[in-house]
Amino acid sequence: MYTNNQDNSTHTIIENLVRYNLLEWANQFYQSKKIEGVSGFTLTFYKQQLGHFLKYCESQLITSLEEITPNVIRQFLLWHQETGHNPGGLHAAFRTIRVFLLWYESEAEPEGWKNPINKVKAPKIPTKFLEPVDLEDISIMLATCKTGSFLDYRDKALLLFLLDSGARAREIIQIDIMDVDLVSGAVLILRGKGAKPRTVFLGKSSRKALRAYLKRRGDSNPALWITGEGERLEYGGLRGILTRRAKLADIIAPCLHSFRRAFAINMLRAGVDVFSLQKLMGHSDLQVLRRYLAQTTEDVAQAHRIGSPVDRNNI
């Protein structure tokens, strides 16, 4: 027959197993992030990235959080690298583990537990500038929108919206008609990255094309961008529009994100300050923005012509 001490000991063992079970805490992490309102894309990203780490831990017979040491994380990152992941993928894995362990530390407040991620340095990412879509390519694709069909009006407005707003593709497909002020050009992004709302803007030409498209809408769908069948446009459909327009224009299809890069570099060339640009693009810091600003030698030369202290002061 069990004594009270044995009962207490058994209870403590079970309590510890529940408290430190790795898979259980991972599932609670996913639920917590979902409740916080992170996007479906971000939640899928966490599941994929953390899934790699959980599988690695399983292969090492690691089943509890207290068994994760700084060396375990380093060994995982080395394994991740050796299995063909590039520096970007390596950093993505590190970021996810960091978010998970910091969340656990805040959520569980484990007594005597030291977060191993604090002793692991983040993998370095080589600075690589991101190429923007060529403005001439956009003009050629716009020229294919000439038959006067509903899809032509939609695609013309959409191409201009992609370039003029600087919004992410996944943000654009979530915009509703009521989020757009066609007079001022303000567009409310309610579900930006990190669940942070912000406002972007459209110029006169983009607003004109958008009004022309909306006049040809005969549906009751609240979505700003819809398919020919009247359903909300999804990411794959948005990408398909670029593919079709590029094929009609006989050019290589640009990627969706290259419009955002073109927005950034052209705003900078027009004299927009980097802090305003950072806010428009929804970046948390300037370090991320730097990857979008692939300035040419002529850009730098023009900046010097404008700001030369000798020439401006006639010295």
Side-chain angles (χ1 to χ4, degrees):
M1 186 172 181
Y2 288 108
T3 65
N4 286 338
N5 287 339
Q6 287 174 318
D7 287 338
N8 290 336
S9 178
T10 302
H11 178 75
T12 301
I13 291 172
I14 294 173
E15 187 179 63
N16 285 339
L17 285 172
V18 173
R19 182 181 180 190
Y20 291 106
N21 183 276
L22 186 54
L23 290 177
E24 176 63 26
W25 279 111
N27 287 328
Q28 289 191 36
F29 169 73
Y30 300 142
Q31 293 171 13
S32 175
K33 290 302 173 182
K34 190 173 183 178
I35 292 170
E36 286 177 20
V38 302
S39 68
F41 176 78
T42 301
L43 193 61
T44 299
F45 172 81
Y46 282 150
K47 286 184 176 180
Q48 289 176 343
Q49 295 297 331
L50 192 55
H52 293 309
F53 183 58
L54 295 178
K55 285 183 179 179
Y56 175 80
C57 287
E58 184 181 6
S59 72
Q60 303 299 308
L61 303 180
I62 295 171
T63 59
S64 65
L65 273 158
E66 64 178 356
E67 294 177 271
I68 298 175
T69 64
N71 194 51
V72 167
I73 298 173
R74 295 187 192 103
Q75 290 298 322
F76 162 73
L77 293 173
L78 284 172
W79 171 82
H80 208 51
Q81 184 180 46
E82 291 168 357
T83 51
H85 292 85
N86 60 29
L90 207 62
H91 199 273
F94 171 83
R95 293 198 311 272
T96 305
I97 296 170
R98 184 175 184 276
V99 170
F100 172 56
L101 292 178
L102 288 174
W103 169 85
Y104 168 73
E105 185 175 24
S106 174
E107 180 76 12
E109 298 181 350
E111 187 177 348
W113 183 79
K114 293 183 179 180
N115 198 331
I117 200 67
N118 293 331
K119 292 188 176 182
V120 182
K121 291 185 178 180
K124 291 184 178 180
I125 300 180
T127 301
K128 180 181 179 181
F129 291 118
L130 305 171
E131 288 298 324
V133 61
D134 193 307
L135 297 186
E136 185 176 344
D137 284 351
I138 297 178
S139 296
I140 296 172
M141 286 192 289
L142 286 170
T144 69
C145 305
K146 59 185 179 181
T147 67
S149 68
F150 169 75
L151 294 183
D152 277 347
Y153 279 101
R154 182 202 64 184
D155 293 358
K156 178 179 179 180
L158 186 50
L159 288 169
L160 292 175
F161 195 104
L162 279 165
L163 177 63
D164 213 17
S165 68
R168 300 175 178 90
R170 294 186 186 277
E171 295 171 339
I172 288 175
I173 58 177
Q174 296 183 72
I175 296 172
D176 288 336
I177 296 174
M178 65 179 296
D179 299 329
V180 183
D181 185 336
L182 289 170
V183 177
S184 68
V187 181
L188 180 61
I189 305 290
L190 286 170
R191 294 171 288 276
K193 192 171 183 180
K196 296 176 182 177
R198 74 180 190 284
T199 301
V200 297
F201 298 89
L202 300 173
K204 292 180 181 179
S205 296
S206 298
R207 296 202 301 272
K208 181 179 178 181
L210 190 57
R211 282 193 292 267
Y213 153 64
L214 291 174
K215 282 181 181 178
R216 286 155 180 82
R217 290 272 299 266
D219 60 275
S220 59
N221 195 321
L224 179 60
W225 304 108
I226 61 171
T227 65
E229 292 72 36
E231 300 295 327
R232 182 183 288 273
L233 191 66
E234 296 184 353
Y235 185 84
L238 184 55
R239 190 166 49 191
I241 290 171
L242 290 193
T243 301
R244 288 193 295 275
R245 288 298 167 185
K247 186 175 182 179
L248 288 171
D250 196 25
I251 61 173
I252 297 174
C255 71
L256 282 166
H257 213 63
S258 64
F259 282 77
R260 187 164 152 83
R261 299 165 195 161
F263 168 82
I265 190 63
N266 281 282
M267 289 287 277
L268 183 71
R269 288 170 178 167
V272 176
D273 68 274
V274 292
F275 297 104
S276 296
L277 187 53
Q278 176 190 353
K279 191 170 183 179
L280 285 169
M281 296 188 71
H283 284 145
S284 57
D285 58 62
L286 291 175
Q287 185 64 28
V288 180
L289 181 59
R290 283 185 67 245
R291 300 183 64 212
Y292 288 80
L293 305 179
Q295 292 174 281
T296 64
T297 302
E298 179 54 32
D299 289 324
V300 180
Q302 176 63 16
H304 185 269
R305 283 194 290 270
I306 294 172
S308 170
V310 174
D311 292 346
R312 286 186 66 194
N313 295 281
N314 298 315
I315 296 175

